[in-house]
Amino acid sequence: MGGIDRALELIRSSRRVVVMTGAGVSAESGVPTFRDDLTGYWSMFDPNDLATPEAFDRDPATVSRWYDERRQRVLSCRPNPGHVALAAWEEAVVGAGGSFVLLTQNVDRLHQRAGSRHVVELHGSLLSWRCTRTGKVREDLPLPLPHYPMESEAGGLYRPGVVWFGEMLPESAVARAEAAVASCDLVVSIGTSALVYPAAGYVEWAVAQGVSSLEVNRDPTPISDLVDVSLRGLAGEILPRLGAGWRAGTG
Ligand code: OAD
């Protein structure tokens, strides 16, 4: 039985779904991934120069400008068929009385723009900026920012509302992710190199619990041999096929 058919079997028999997505699910929307050689963000710079609290303390203007440019870029991108298929899948599972939680490492908000509602942003969002003095989060700052860095009303600075290397994930996101993984009957990893923890650990934890598991990824990853079915290919092509085949089989 082909991979797609086996994947459909797992999907059809699931009622409590957890999906983990990474940059690969937004690649076909034009958002660069992190570790792809030619287009990945990291290929253009050393992450330690821009994606750490120390980098912001050292050079808040450059870090603020780089994140503001990424914010502008993702707002000009559109959800792709992979995002849309995930939103439709969620709606159908929840509509049938099941549960569906989408854990994402992405900070581009494209899942929400595609209609996904039960989204947990493990690494924050490019649309959020947080005051360094009060911790207040705003998503309505001018686009582009008037100058870099932008001062906050409290006399601090607005820093990007994303998780940097060496920082903890938002407590609420961790709590929601752990609750979802602890009670799911299917875990699906899509478009992630499965190298960054704790995100990668959630899928491994579900697999270790004996939960049915599926991967959709362009390249092999460290979890490809762990999951029940690993489909090689593009999220924008495979996810709509899974959705169509699974809808045909529901009822
Ligand atoms: P990566 O760039 O590490 O991995 C992207 C994965 O997506 C790769 O395994 C590709 O093979 C796959 N891929 C690329 N295009 C695809 C497509 N069209 N369809 C399906 N798969 C595709 O990105 P992430 O795994 O998301 O963390 O990186 C995880 C974290 O590392 C990021 O959230 C970021 C970074 O440090 C923080 O910023 C905290």
Side-chain angles (χ1 to χ4, degrees), residues 6-20 89 93 99-101 180-181 183-189 206-207 210-215 228-229 242 246:
R6 287 179 59 217
L8 285 171
E9 264 197 357
L10 296 180
I11 290 172
R12 286 189 189 125
S13 58
S14 66
R15 285 291 172 275
R16 297 185 309 285
V17 182
V18 165
V19 174
M20 167 69 73
W89 183 5
V93 169
S99 67
F100 189 106
V101 178
V181 171
S183 61
C184 70
D185 60 12
L186 174 66
V187 65
V188 187
S189 181
V207 171
V211 166
S212 298
S213 52
L214 172 62
E215 178 185 44
D228 295 319
V229 181
L242 288 180
W246 154 75

PDB file of all heavy atoms in Angstrom, residues 6-20 89 93 99-101 180-181 183-189 206-207 210-215 228-229 242 246:
ATOM      1  N   ARG A   6      -1.642   4.720   3.140  1.00  0.00           N
ATOM      2  CA  ARG A   6      -1.428   4.400   4.562  1.00  0.00           C
ATOM      3  C   ARG A   6      -1.635   5.653   5.417  1.00  0.00           C
ATOM      4  O   ARG A   6      -2.226   5.590   6.497  1.00  0.00           O
ATOM      5  CB  ARG A   6      -0.008   3.841   4.754  1.00  0.00           C
ATOM      6  CG  ARG A   6       0.133   2.413   4.209  1.00  0.00           C
ATOM      7  CD  ARG A   6       1.544   1.880   4.378  1.00  0.00           C
ATOM      8  NE  ARG A   6       1.927   1.869   5.788  1.00  0.00           N
ATOM      9  CZ  ARG A   6       3.174   2.162   6.203  1.00  0.00           C
ATOM     10  NH1 ARG A   6       4.087   2.525   5.319  1.00  0.00           N
ATOM     11  NH2 ARG A   6       3.473   2.125   7.487  1.00  0.00           N
ATOM     12  N   ALA A   7      -1.210   6.789   4.877  1.00  0.00           N
ATOM     13  CA  ALA A   7      -1.408   8.055   5.624  1.00  0.00           C
ATOM     14  C   ALA A   7      -2.903   8.314   5.775  1.00  0.00           C
ATOM     15  O   ALA A   7      -3.382   8.698   6.850  1.00  0.00           O
ATOM     16  CB  ALA A   7      -0.737   9.203   4.883  1.00  0.00           C
ATOM     17  N   LEU A   8      -3.665   8.083   4.711  1.00  0.00           N
ATOM     18  CA  LEU A   8      -5.113   8.319   4.759  1.00  0.00           C
ATOM     19  C   LEU A   8      -5.774   7.411   5.792  1.00  0.00           C
ATOM     20  O   LEU A   8      -6.670   7.835   6.524  1.00  0.00           O
ATOM     21  CB  LEU A   8      -5.733   8.088   3.372  1.00  0.00           C
ATOM     22  CG  LEU A   8      -5.452   9.200   2.363  1.00  0.00           C
ATOM     23  CD1 LEU A   8      -5.896   8.789   0.968  1.00  0.00           C
ATOM     24  CD2 LEU A   8      -6.151  10.478   2.792  1.00  0.00           C
ATOM     25  N   GLU A   9      -5.285   6.188   5.878  1.00  0.00           N
ATOM     26  CA  GLU A   9      -5.850   5.265   6.887  1.00  0.00           C
ATOM     27  C   GLU A   9      -5.656   5.841   8.288  1.00  0.00           C
ATOM     28  O   GLU A   9      -6.574   5.900   9.102  1.00  0.00           O
ATOM     29  CB  GLU A   9      -5.127   3.910   6.788  1.00  0.00           C
ATOM     30  CG  GLU A   9      -5.838   2.895   5.957  1.00  0.00           C
ATOM     31  CD  GLU A   9      -5.301   1.487   6.239  1.00  0.00           C
ATOM     32  OE1 GLU A   9      -4.348   1.332   7.041  1.00  0.00           O
ATOM     33  OE2 GLU A   9      -5.843   0.548   5.653  1.00  0.00           O
ATOM     34  N   LEU A  10      -4.445   6.325   8.557  1.00  0.00           N
ATOM     35  CA  LEU A  10      -4.164   6.904   9.883  1.00  0.00           C
ATOM     36  C   LEU A  10      -5.063   8.108  10.129  1.00  0.00           C
ATOM     37  O   LEU A  10      -5.636   8.284  11.198  1.00  0.00           O
ATOM     38  CB  LEU A  10      -2.692   7.334   9.977  1.00  0.00           C
ATOM     39  CG  LEU A  10      -1.625   6.237   9.888  1.00  0.00           C
ATOM     40  CD1 LEU A  10      -0.233   6.852   9.996  1.00  0.00           C
ATOM     41  CD2 LEU A  10      -1.843   5.211  10.987  1.00  0.00           C
ATOM     42  N   ILE A  11      -5.200   8.953   9.089  1.00  0.00           N
ATOM     43  CA  ILE A  11      -5.976  10.193   9.248  1.00  0.00           C
ATOM     44  C   ILE A  11      -7.450   9.872   9.486  1.00  0.00           C
ATOM     45  O   ILE A  11      -8.099  10.421  10.378  1.00  0.00           O
ATOM     46  CB  ILE A  11      -5.796  11.096   8.009  1.00  0.00           C
ATOM     47  CG1 ILE A  11      -4.369  11.659   7.982  1.00  0.00           C
ATOM     48  CG2 ILE A  11      -6.831  12.210   7.973  1.00  0.00           C
ATOM     49  CD1 ILE A  11      -4.015  12.399   6.704  1.00  0.00           C
ATOM     50  N   ARG A  12      -7.970   8.926   8.701  1.00  0.00           N
ATOM     51  CA  ARG A  12      -9.410   8.630   8.813  1.00  0.00           C
ATOM     52  C   ARG A  12      -9.769   8.063  10.182  1.00  0.00           C
ATOM     53  O   ARG A  12     -10.868   8.227  10.675  1.00  0.00           O
ATOM     54  CB  ARG A  12      -9.812   7.635   7.714  1.00  0.00           C
ATOM     55  CG  ARG A  12      -9.872   8.263   6.334  1.00  0.00           C
ATOM     56  CD  ARG A  12     -10.480   7.318   5.304  1.00  0.00           C
ATOM     57  NE  ARG A  12     -10.330   7.885   3.961  1.00  0.00           N
ATOM     58  CZ  ARG A  12      -9.743   7.226   2.950  1.00  0.00           C
ATOM     59  NH1 ARG A  12      -9.284   6.008   3.142  1.00  0.00           N
ATOM     60  NH2 ARG A  12      -9.626   7.767   1.770  1.00  0.00           N
ATOM     61  N   SER A  13      -8.820   7.358  10.797  1.00  0.00           N
ATOM     62  CA  SER A  13      -9.170   6.714  12.079  1.00  0.00           C
ATOM     63  C   SER A  13      -8.788   7.593  13.271  1.00  0.00           C
ATOM     64  O   SER A  13      -8.842   7.153  14.403  1.00  0.00           O
ATOM     65  CB  SER A  13      -8.439   5.375  12.183  1.00  0.00           C
ATOM     66  OG  SER A  13      -7.039   5.608  12.086  1.00  0.00           O
ATOM     67  N   SER A  14      -8.407   8.865  12.997  1.00  0.00           N
ATOM     68  CA  SER A  14      -7.972   9.730  14.115  1.00  0.00           C
ATOM     69  C   SER A  14      -9.080  10.709  14.482  1.00  0.00           C
ATOM     70  O   SER A  14      -9.876  11.126  13.633  1.00  0.00           O
ATOM     71  CB  SER A  14      -6.724  10.520  13.695  1.00  0.00           C
ATOM     72  OG  SER A  14      -7.068  11.408  12.657  1.00  0.00           O
ATOM     73  N   ARG A  15      -9.128  11.080  15.745  1.00  0.00           N
ATOM     74  CA  ARG A  15     -10.126  12.051  16.219  1.00  0.00           C
ATOM     75  C   ARG A  15      -9.469  13.159  17.032  1.00  0.00           C
ATOM     76  O   ARG A  15     -10.087  14.184  17.288  1.00  0.00           O
ATOM     77  CB  ARG A  15     -11.181  11.339  17.096  1.00  0.00           C
ATOM     78  CG  ARG A  15     -12.176  10.504  16.279  1.00  0.00           C
ATOM     79  CD  ARG A  15     -13.091  11.402  15.440  1.00  0.00           C
ATOM     80  NE  ARG A  15     -13.918  10.653  14.501  1.00  0.00           N
ATOM     81  CZ  ARG A  15     -13.497  10.278  13.288  1.00  0.00           C
ATOM     82  NH1 ARG A  15     -12.253  10.564  12.891  1.00  0.00           N
ATOM     83  NH2 ARG A  15     -14.283   9.611  12.459  1.00  0.00           N
ATOM     84  N   ARG A  16      -8.251  12.925  17.507  1.00  0.00           N
ATOM     85  CA  ARG A  16      -7.565  13.954  18.332  1.00  0.00           C
ATOM     86  C   ARG A  16      -6.190  14.168  17.697  1.00  0.00           C
ATOM     87  O   ARG A  16      -5.238  13.457  17.953  1.00  0.00           O
ATOM     88  CB  ARG A  16      -7.458  13.471  19.781  1.00  0.00           C
ATOM     89  CG  ARG A  16      -8.816  13.278  20.458  1.00  0.00           C
ATOM     90  CD  ARG A  16      -8.720  12.922  21.929  1.00  0.00           C
ATOM     91  NE  ARG A  16      -7.818  11.806  22.192  1.00  0.00           N
ATOM     92  CZ  ARG A  16      -8.112  10.524  21.934  1.00  0.00           C
ATOM     93  NH1 ARG A  16      -9.286  10.214  21.398  1.00  0.00           N
ATOM     94  NH2 ARG A  16      -7.256   9.558  22.179  1.00  0.00           N
ATOM     95  N   VAL A  17      -6.132  15.195  16.828  1.00  0.00           N
ATOM     96  CA  VAL A  17      -4.981  15.397  15.950  1.00  0.00           C
ATOM     97  C   VAL A  17      -4.090  16.520  16.475  1.00  0.00           C
ATOM     98  O   VAL A  17      -4.592  17.572  16.905  1.00  0.00           O
ATOM     99  CB  VAL A  17      -5.456  15.756  14.522  1.00  0.00           C
ATOM    100  CG1 VAL A  17      -4.262  15.934  13.572  1.00  0.00           C
ATOM    101  CG2 VAL A  17      -6.408  14.679  13.986  1.00  0.00           C
ATOM    102  N   VAL A  18      -2.778  16.260  16.460  1.00  0.00           N
ATOM    103  CA  VAL A  18      -1.806  17.335  16.714  1.00  0.00           C
ATOM    104  C   VAL A  18      -0.905  17.426  15.485  1.00  0.00           C
ATOM    105  O   VAL A  18      -0.369  16.415  15.038  1.00  0.00           O
ATOM    106  CB  VAL A  18      -0.941  17.040  17.966  1.00  0.00           C
ATOM    107  CG1 VAL A  18       0.295  17.951  17.994  1.00  0.00           C
ATOM    108  CG2 VAL A  18      -1.756  17.253  19.234  1.00  0.00           C
ATOM    109  N   VAL A  19      -0.796  18.628  14.932  1.00  0.00           N
ATOM    110  CA  VAL A  19       0.083  18.876  13.787  1.00  0.00           C
ATOM    111  C   VAL A  19       1.207  19.793  14.252  1.00  0.00           C
ATOM    112  O   VAL A  19       0.963  20.740  15.001  1.00  0.00           O
ATOM    113  CB  VAL A  19      -0.702  19.528  12.630  1.00  0.00           C
ATOM    114  CG1 VAL A  19       0.250  19.931  11.491  1.00  0.00           C
ATOM    115  CG2 VAL A  19      -1.770  18.558  12.094  1.00  0.00           C
ATOM    116  N   MET A  20       2.439  19.504  13.835  1.00  0.00           N
ATOM    117  CA  MET A  20       3.606  20.362  14.114  1.00  0.00           C
ATOM    118  C   MET A  20       4.115  20.853  12.772  1.00  0.00           C
ATOM    119  O   MET A  20       4.433  20.034  11.893  1.00  0.00           O
ATOM    120  CB  MET A  20       4.707  19.557  14.813  1.00  0.00           C
ATOM    121  CG  MET A  20       6.060  20.270  14.864  1.00  0.00           C
ATOM    122  SD  MET A  20       6.031  21.704  15.957  1.00  0.00           S
ATOM    123  CE  MET A  20       5.989  20.829  17.525  1.00  0.00           C
ATOM    124  N   TRP A  89      -8.913  20.697   7.158  1.00  0.00           N
ATOM    125  CA  TRP A  89      -8.830  19.459   7.935  1.00  0.00           C
ATOM    126  C   TRP A  89      -9.265  19.740   9.370  1.00  0.00           C
ATOM    127  O   TRP A  89     -10.087  19.034   9.950  1.00  0.00           O
ATOM    128  CB  TRP A  89      -7.402  18.934   7.853  1.00  0.00           C
ATOM    129  CG  TRP A  89      -7.122  17.625   8.545  1.00  0.00           C
ATOM    130  CD1 TRP A  89      -8.015  16.792   9.163  1.00  0.00           C
ATOM    131  CD2 TRP A  89      -5.844  17.016   8.688  1.00  0.00           C
ATOM    132  NE1 TRP A  89      -7.372  15.697   9.689  1.00  0.00           N
ATOM    133  CE2 TRP A  89      -6.042  15.809   9.410  1.00  0.00           C
ATOM    134  CE3 TRP A  89      -4.548  17.347   8.267  1.00  0.00           C
ATOM    135  CZ2 TRP A  89      -4.978  14.953   9.733  1.00  0.00           C
ATOM    136  CZ3 TRP A  89      -3.505  16.481   8.573  1.00  0.00           C
ATOM    137  CH2 TRP A  89      -3.719  15.313   9.294  1.00  0.00           C
ATOM    138  N   VAL A  93     -12.431  18.019  11.367  1.00  0.00           N
ATOM    139  CA  VAL A  93     -12.235  17.198  12.577  1.00  0.00           C
ATOM    140  C   VAL A  93     -13.035  17.788  13.745  1.00  0.00           C
ATOM    141  O   VAL A  93     -13.777  17.105  14.436  1.00  0.00           O
ATOM    142  CB  VAL A  93     -10.731  17.110  12.930  1.00  0.00           C
ATOM    143  CG1 VAL A  93     -10.526  16.512  14.316  1.00  0.00           C
ATOM    144  CG2 VAL A  93      -9.983  16.289  11.884  1.00  0.00           C
ATOM    145  N   SER A  99     -10.779  16.817  18.137  1.00  0.00           N
ATOM    146  CA  SER A  99      -9.948  17.968  18.503  1.00  0.00           C
ATOM    147  C   SER A  99      -8.780  18.044  17.525  1.00  0.00           C
ATOM    148  O   SER A  99      -8.325  17.023  16.977  1.00  0.00           O
ATOM    149  CB  SER A  99      -9.412  17.830  19.929  1.00  0.00           C
ATOM    150  OG  SER A  99      -8.498  16.742  19.997  1.00  0.00           O
ATOM    151  N   PHE A 100      -8.333  19.299  17.285  1.00  0.00           N
ATOM    152  CA  PHE A 100      -7.253  19.532  16.305  1.00  0.00           C
ATOM    153  C   PHE A 100      -6.434  20.709  16.814  1.00  0.00           C
ATOM    154  O   PHE A 100      -6.977  21.796  17.001  1.00  0.00           O
ATOM    155  CB  PHE A 100      -7.864  19.854  14.938  1.00  0.00           C
ATOM    156  CG  PHE A 100      -6.878  19.909  13.796  1.00  0.00           C
ATOM    157  CD1 PHE A 100      -6.822  18.891  12.852  1.00  0.00           C
ATOM    158  CD2 PHE A 100      -6.006  20.973  13.645  1.00  0.00           C
ATOM    159  CE1 PHE A 100      -5.923  18.923  11.794  1.00  0.00           C
ATOM    160  CE2 PHE A 100      -5.097  21.028  12.590  1.00  0.00           C
ATOM    161  CZ  PHE A 100      -5.065  20.007  11.658  1.00  0.00           C
ATOM    162  N   VAL A 101      -5.162  20.456  17.110  1.00  0.00           N
ATOM    163  CA  VAL A 101      -4.293  21.544  17.584  1.00  0.00           C
ATOM    164  C   VAL A 101      -3.098  21.644  16.652  1.00  0.00           C
ATOM    165  O   VAL A 101      -2.427  20.642  16.369  1.00  0.00           O
ATOM    166  CB  VAL A 101      -3.803  21.292  19.029  1.00  0.00           C
ATOM    167  CG1 VAL A 101      -2.857  22.405  19.471  1.00  0.00           C
ATOM    168  CG2 VAL A 101      -4.995  21.202  19.989  1.00  0.00           C
ATOM    169  N   ALA A 180      -1.990  19.059  24.491  1.00  0.00           N
ATOM    170  CA  ALA A 180      -2.450  18.499  23.212  1.00  0.00           C
ATOM    171  C   ALA A 180      -1.722  17.197  22.890  1.00  0.00           C
ATOM    172  O   ALA A 180      -2.337  16.185  22.511  1.00  0.00           O
ATOM    173  CB  ALA A 180      -2.222  19.522  22.099  1.00  0.00           C
ATOM    174  N   VAL A 181      -0.411  17.186  23.084  1.00  0.00           N
ATOM    175  CA  VAL A 181       0.366  15.980  22.754  1.00  0.00           C
ATOM    176  C   VAL A 181      -0.010  14.827  23.683  1.00  0.00           C
ATOM    177  O   VAL A 181      -0.150  13.677  23.267  1.00  0.00           O
ATOM    178  CB  VAL A 181       1.879  16.280  22.840  1.00  0.00           C
ATOM    179  CG1 VAL A 181       2.694  14.991  22.713  1.00  0.00           C
ATOM    180  CG2 VAL A 181       2.293  17.263  21.750  1.00  0.00           C
ATOM    181  N   SER A 183      -2.788  14.035  24.815  1.00  0.00           N
ATOM    182  CA  SER A 183      -4.115  13.412  24.608  1.00  0.00           C
ATOM    183  C   SER A 183      -4.414  13.134  23.147  1.00  0.00           C
ATOM    184  O   SER A 183      -5.545  12.777  22.795  1.00  0.00           O
ATOM    185  CB  SER A 183      -5.199  14.357  25.153  1.00  0.00           C
ATOM    186  OG  SER A 183      -5.144  15.578  24.434  1.00  0.00           O
ATOM    187  N   CYS A 184      -3.404  13.238  22.263  1.00  0.00           N
ATOM    188  CA  CYS A 184      -3.725  13.062  20.831  1.00  0.00           C
ATOM    189  C   CYS A 184      -3.699  11.587  20.436  1.00  0.00           C
ATOM    190  O   CYS A 184      -3.137  10.746  21.142  1.00  0.00           O
ATOM    191  CB  CYS A 184      -2.714  13.854  19.976  1.00  0.00           C
ATOM    192  SG  CYS A 184      -1.044  13.169  19.973  1.00  0.00           S
ATOM    193  N   ASP A 185      -4.331  11.278  19.271  1.00  0.00           N
ATOM    194  CA  ASP A 185      -4.224   9.902  18.752  1.00  0.00           C
ATOM    195  C   ASP A 185      -3.538   9.888  17.388  1.00  0.00           C
ATOM    196  O   ASP A 185      -3.376   8.840  16.765  1.00  0.00           O
ATOM    197  CB  ASP A 185      -5.605   9.221  18.678  1.00  0.00           C
ATOM    198  CG  ASP A 185      -6.590   9.964  17.772  1.00  0.00           C
ATOM    199  OD1 ASP A 185      -6.149  10.873  17.023  1.00  0.00           O
ATOM    200  OD2 ASP A 185      -7.786   9.648  17.826  1.00  0.00           O
ATOM    201  N   LEU A 186      -3.163  11.097  16.908  1.00  0.00           N
ATOM    202  CA  LEU A 186      -2.371  11.199  15.678  1.00  0.00           C
ATOM    203  C   LEU A 186      -1.481  12.436  15.776  1.00  0.00           C
ATOM    204  O   LEU A 186      -1.951  13.513  16.154  1.00  0.00           O
ATOM    205  CB  LEU A 186      -3.275  11.327  14.440  1.00  0.00           C
ATOM    206  CG  LEU A 186      -2.559  11.580  13.105  1.00  0.00           C
ATOM    207  CD1 LEU A 186      -1.694  10.375  12.705  1.00  0.00           C
ATOM    208  CD2 LEU A 186      -3.567  11.914  11.997  1.00  0.00           C
ATOM    209  N   VAL A 187      -0.189  12.269  15.468  1.00  0.00           N
ATOM    210  CA  VAL A 187       0.721  13.419  15.424  1.00  0.00           C
ATOM    211  C   VAL A 187       1.301  13.491  14.009  1.00  0.00           C
ATOM    212  O   VAL A 187       1.657  12.471  13.411  1.00  0.00           O
ATOM    213  CB  VAL A 187       1.848  13.296  16.479  1.00  0.00           C
ATOM    214  CG1 VAL A 187       2.781  12.121  16.195  1.00  0.00           C
ATOM    215  CG2 VAL A 187       2.655  14.601  16.540  1.00  0.00           C
ATOM    216  N   VAL A 188       1.303  14.726  13.449  1.00  0.00           N
ATOM    217  CA  VAL A 188       1.740  14.920  12.059  1.00  0.00           C
ATOM    218  C   VAL A 188       2.813  16.010  12.036  1.00  0.00           C
ATOM    219  O   VAL A 188       2.559  17.127  12.490  1.00  0.00           O
ATOM    220  CB  VAL A 188       0.556  15.350  11.164  1.00  0.00           C
ATOM    221  CG1 VAL A 188       0.982  15.370   9.693  1.00  0.00           C
ATOM    222  CG2 VAL A 188      -0.638  14.426  11.365  1.00  0.00           C
ATOM    223  N   SER A 189       4.009  15.700  11.529  1.00  0.00           N
ATOM    224  CA  SER A 189       5.100  16.684  11.434  1.00  0.00           C
ATOM    225  C   SER A 189       5.213  17.119   9.984  1.00  0.00           C
ATOM    226  O   SER A 189       5.369  16.280   9.093  1.00  0.00           O
ATOM    227  CB  SER A 189       6.417  16.049  11.903  1.00  0.00           C
ATOM    228  OG  SER A 189       7.463  16.997  11.838  1.00  0.00           O
ATOM    229  N   ALA A 206       5.206  12.071  21.363  1.00  0.00           N
ATOM    230  CA  ALA A 206       3.954  11.425  20.913  1.00  0.00           C
ATOM    231  C   ALA A 206       4.263  10.038  20.341  1.00  0.00           C
ATOM    232  O   ALA A 206       3.591   9.047  20.671  1.00  0.00           O
ATOM    233  CB  ALA A 206       3.276  12.298  19.860  1.00  0.00           C
ATOM    234  N   VAL A 207       5.328   9.964  19.532  1.00  0.00           N
ATOM    235  CA  VAL A 207       5.689   8.655  18.946  1.00  0.00           C
ATOM    236  C   VAL A 207       6.031   7.665  20.059  1.00  0.00           C
ATOM    237  O   VAL A 207       5.588   6.511  20.054  1.00  0.00           O
ATOM    238  CB  VAL A 207       6.877   8.817  17.964  1.00  0.00           C
ATOM    239  CG1 VAL A 207       7.406   7.454  17.522  1.00  0.00           C
ATOM    240  CG2 VAL A 207       6.454   9.646  16.750  1.00  0.00           C
ATOM    241  N   GLY A 210       3.302   5.801  21.523  1.00  0.00           N
ATOM    242  CA  GLY A 210       2.618   4.830  20.665  1.00  0.00           C
ATOM    243  C   GLY A 210       1.507   5.451  19.844  1.00  0.00           C
ATOM    244  O   GLY A 210       0.674   4.767  19.258  1.00  0.00           O
ATOM    245  N   VAL A 211       1.499   6.800  19.752  1.00  0.00           N
ATOM    246  CA  VAL A 211       0.481   7.496  18.958  1.00  0.00           C
ATOM    247  C   VAL A 211       0.799   7.288  17.472  1.00  0.00           C
ATOM    248  O   VAL A 211       1.976   7.245  17.096  1.00  0.00           O
ATOM    249  CB  VAL A 211       0.518   9.003  19.321  1.00  0.00           C
ATOM    250  CG1 VAL A 211      -0.252   9.830  18.324  1.00  0.00           C
ATOM    251  CG2 VAL A 211      -0.026   9.217  20.724  1.00  0.00           C
ATOM    252  N   SER A 212      -0.245   7.178  16.638  1.00  0.00           N
ATOM    253  CA  SER A 212       0.010   7.078  15.191  1.00  0.00           C
ATOM    254  C   SER A 212       0.742   8.336  14.737  1.00  0.00           C
ATOM    255  O   SER A 212       0.482   9.431  15.252  1.00  0.00           O
ATOM    256  CB  SER A 212      -1.318   6.967  14.428  1.00  0.00           C
ATOM    257  OG  SER A 212      -1.990   5.798  14.824  1.00  0.00           O
ATOM    258  N   SER A 213       1.662   8.177  13.791  1.00  0.00           N
ATOM    259  CA  SER A 213       2.504   9.330  13.437  1.00  0.00           C
ATOM    260  C   SER A 213       2.768   9.389  11.940  1.00  0.00           C
ATOM    261  O   SER A 213       2.912   8.360  11.275  1.00  0.00           O
ATOM    262  CB  SER A 213       3.834   9.241  14.196  1.00  0.00           C
ATOM    263  OG  SER A 213       4.416   7.969  13.999  1.00  0.00           O
ATOM    264  N   LEU A 214       2.831  10.635  11.444  1.00  0.00           N
ATOM    265  CA  LEU A 214       2.956  10.884  10.011  1.00  0.00           C
ATOM    266  C   LEU A 214       3.903  12.074   9.826  1.00  0.00           C
ATOM    267  O   LEU A 214       3.893  13.006  10.644  1.00  0.00           O
ATOM    268  CB  LEU A 214       1.552  11.216   9.476  1.00  0.00           C
ATOM    269  CG  LEU A 214       1.345  11.707   8.066  1.00  0.00           C
ATOM    270  CD1 LEU A 214       1.809  10.655   7.061  1.00  0.00           C
ATOM    271  CD2 LEU A 214      -0.150  12.012   7.830  1.00  0.00           C
ATOM    272  N   GLU A 215       4.718  12.019   8.756  1.00  0.00           N
ATOM    273  CA  GLU A 215       5.565  13.164   8.423  1.00  0.00           C
ATOM    274  C   GLU A 215       5.335  13.519   6.959  1.00  0.00           C
ATOM    275  O   GLU A 215       5.191  12.617   6.111  1.00  0.00           O
ATOM    276  CB  GLU A 215       7.050  12.825   8.648  1.00  0.00           C
ATOM    277  CG  GLU A 215       8.014  13.975   8.281  1.00  0.00           C
ATOM    278  CD  GLU A 215       9.484  13.600   8.398  1.00  0.00           C
ATOM    279  OE1 GLU A 215       9.848  12.496   7.954  1.00  0.00           O
ATOM    280  OE2 GLU A 215      10.268  14.385   8.968  1.00  0.00           O
ATOM    281  N   ASP A 228       5.244   6.391  11.623  1.00  0.00           N
ATOM    282  CA  ASP A 228       4.617   5.270  10.907  1.00  0.00           C
ATOM    283  C   ASP A 228       4.729   5.467   9.394  1.00  0.00           C
ATOM    284  O   ASP A 228       5.017   4.533   8.656  1.00  0.00           O
ATOM    285  CB  ASP A 228       3.130   5.185  11.288  1.00  0.00           C
ATOM    286  CG  ASP A 228       2.941   4.832  12.766  1.00  0.00           C
ATOM    287  OD1 ASP A 228       3.695   3.958  13.250  1.00  0.00           O
ATOM    288  OD2 ASP A 228       2.099   5.443  13.431  1.00  0.00           O
ATOM    289  N   VAL A 229       4.437   6.708   8.936  1.00  0.00           N
ATOM    290  CA  VAL A 229       4.485   6.989   7.491  1.00  0.00           C
ATOM    291  C   VAL A 229       5.217   8.318   7.278  1.00  0.00           C
ATOM    292  O   VAL A 229       4.854   9.319   7.895  1.00  0.00           O
ATOM    293  CB  VAL A 229       3.055   7.106   6.889  1.00  0.00           C
ATOM    294  CG1 VAL A 229       3.134   7.367   5.390  1.00  0.00           C
ATOM    295  CG2 VAL A 229       2.252   5.849   7.173  1.00  0.00           C
ATOM    296  N   LEU A 242      -4.030  14.671   0.594  1.00  0.00           N
ATOM    297  CA  LEU A 242      -4.487  13.973   1.802  1.00  0.00           C
ATOM    298  C   LEU A 242      -5.899  14.434   2.148  1.00  0.00           C
ATOM    299  O   LEU A 242      -6.789  13.640   2.453  1.00  0.00           O
ATOM    300  CB  LEU A 242      -3.545  14.258   2.977  1.00  0.00           C
ATOM    301  CG  LEU A 242      -2.167  13.600   2.941  1.00  0.00           C
ATOM    302  CD1 LEU A 242      -1.374  13.992   4.179  1.00  0.00           C
ATOM    303  CD2 LEU A 242      -2.291  12.085   2.852  1.00  0.00           C
ATOM    304  N   TRP A 246      -9.040  12.030   2.125  1.00  0.00           N
ATOM    305  CA  TRP A 246      -9.620  11.776   3.450  1.00  0.00           C
ATOM    306  C   TRP A 246     -11.080  12.203   3.454  1.00  0.00           C
ATOM    307  O   TRP A 246     -11.965  11.491   3.942  1.00  0.00           O
ATOM    308  CB  TRP A 246      -8.799  12.548   4.479  1.00  0.00           C
ATOM    309  CG  TRP A 246      -9.522  12.917   5.715  1.00  0.00           C
ATOM    310  CD1 TRP A 246      -9.853  12.110   6.743  1.00  0.00           C
ATOM    311  CD2 TRP A 246     -10.048  14.199   6.033  1.00  0.00           C
ATOM    312  NE1 TRP A 246     -10.523  12.824   7.702  1.00  0.00           N
ATOM    313  CE2 TRP A 246     -10.662  14.107   7.280  1.00  0.00           C
ATOM    314  CE3 TRP A 246     -10.033  15.424   5.365  1.00  0.00           C
ATOM    315  CZ2 TRP A 246     -11.264  15.202   7.896  1.00  0.00           C
ATOM    316  CZ3 TRP A 246     -10.644  16.506   5.976  1.00  0.00           C
ATOM    317  CH2 TRP A 246     -11.245  16.387   7.229  1.00  0.00           C
TER     318      TRP A 246
END
